[in-house]
Amino acid sequence: EPEVTQTPSHQVTQMGQEVILRCVPISNHLYFYWYRQILGQKVEFLVSFYNNEISEKSEIFDDQFSVERPDGSNFTLKIRSTKLEDSAMYFCASSGNYQGGGEKLFFGSGTQLSVL
Amino acid sequence: GESVGLHLPTLSVQEGDNSIINCAYSNSASDYFIWYKQESGKGPQFIIDIRSNMDKRQGQRVTVLLNKTVKHLSLQIAATQPGDSAVYFCAEIPNTGNQFYFGTGTSLTVIP
């Protein structure tokens, strides 16, 4: 079964450093997402991406965050200057169609980001 | 922002019993709901979905019930197995956008 792949599984960084989280969505999907989950809390939406541009973003997704699809397979989340409160599990997801049409999200296993 | 919450943070059931996990949502404009299962160290996995024009949908050993009057969603798992132990999230998708809103999650523990 096709799956969303995320690397690395764990990332430790110093506060103020830049990090890039990488994702390979399912190959024929069109919509890409980043979510995050702070330990013990709910999964929170960060951003959705379609047709090489951001289609929707949450208030969490401020100027420190950016996303990119540098080639036909990768989808990255960059945090320019990490803060302690950025520590969380970051999930990439993809779907084949507009979510409201009933297409389900497929999630990766996540990258655990720890900011020290 | 939107609010999707779960009534019980933890639930323990005996193997073979039925499990019921509940979820309340706040946005009456939501028209699509999904239950996800999250095992330790893994991302959320799709279990079952339901659209707002339905009250009930059944899958393999799972049933989702939607009560739009009280904005309540439930997941029923029949003959619960040890492999069902996980955190279960409900998610709602408003008809005004394409982002999911997740609840906090209920941790289900199946006792052998």
Side-chain angles (χ1 to χ4, degrees), chain B residues 29-97:
Chain B
S30 293
D31 63 357
Y32 182 52
F33 304 86
I34 297 183
W35 279 100
Y36 279 90
K37 172 186 180 183
Q38 187 176 22
E39 296 175 278
S40 180
K42 297 184 179 179
Q45 298 172 281
F46 173 91
I47 301 174
I48 191 167
D49 58 357
I50 189 167
R51 297 200 63 84
S52 59
N53 60 353
M54 302 172 68
D55 297 321
K56 178 180 180 179
R57 189 159 189 230
Q58 287 185 292
Q60 187 177 15
R61 283 201 306 119
V62 293
T63 301
V64 55
L65 299 176
L66 176 62
N67 185 331
K68 294 180 287 294
T69 302
V70 295
K71 291 185 281 190
H72 184 268
L73 196 68
S74 69
L75 176 70
Q76 300 178 359
I77 305 173
T80 314
Q81 302 169 359
D84 295 326
S85 293
V87 176
Y88 291 80
F89 296 91
C90 65
E92 62 172 318
I93 299 87
N95 57 15
T96 53

Side-chain angles (χ1 to χ4, degrees), chain A residues 52-92:
Chain A
N52 288 318
E53 62 181 20
I54 291 173
S55 53
E56 198 167 347
K57 62 183 180 180
S58 72
E59 57 191 25
I60 301 169
F61 194 87
D62 61 21
D63 292 344
Q64 292 300 310
F65 291 87
S66 62
V67 290
E68 193 177 32
R69 188 158 165 81
D71 52 43
S73 61
N74 291 286
F75 180 52
T76 62
L77 174 70
K78 181 193 289 187
I79 308 176
R80 258 179 279 280
S81 178
T82 50
K83 303 186 288 288
L84 295 176
E85 53 264 38
D86 293 328
S87 295
M89 179 73 87
Y90 288 80
F91 292 107
C92 174

Side-chain angles (χ1 to χ4, degrees), chain A residues 31 33 35 37 40-43 45 48 55-58 91 98-110, chain B residues 2-4 31-32 34 36 38 41-44 46 49 51 89 93 95-104:
Chain A
Y31 293 82
Y33 311 85
Y35 284 78
Q37 185 178 28
Q41 298 185 24
K42 62 185 179 184
V43 178
F45 171 79
S48 60
S55 53
E56 198 167 347
K57 62 183 180 180
S58 72
F91 292 107
Y98 183 67
Q99 286 175 217
E103 288 292 326
K104 58 192 182 190
L105 285 182
F106 290 83
F107 284 85
S109 295
Chain B
E2 306 297 342
S3 173
V4 178
D31 63 357
Y32 182 52
I34 297 183
Y36 279 90
Q38 187 176 22
K42 297 184 179 179
F46 173 91
D49 58 357
R51 297 200 63 84
F89 296 91
I93 299 87
N95 57 15
T96 53
N98 68 346
Q99 58 170 290
F100 281 28
Y101 294 95
F102 284 87
T104 306

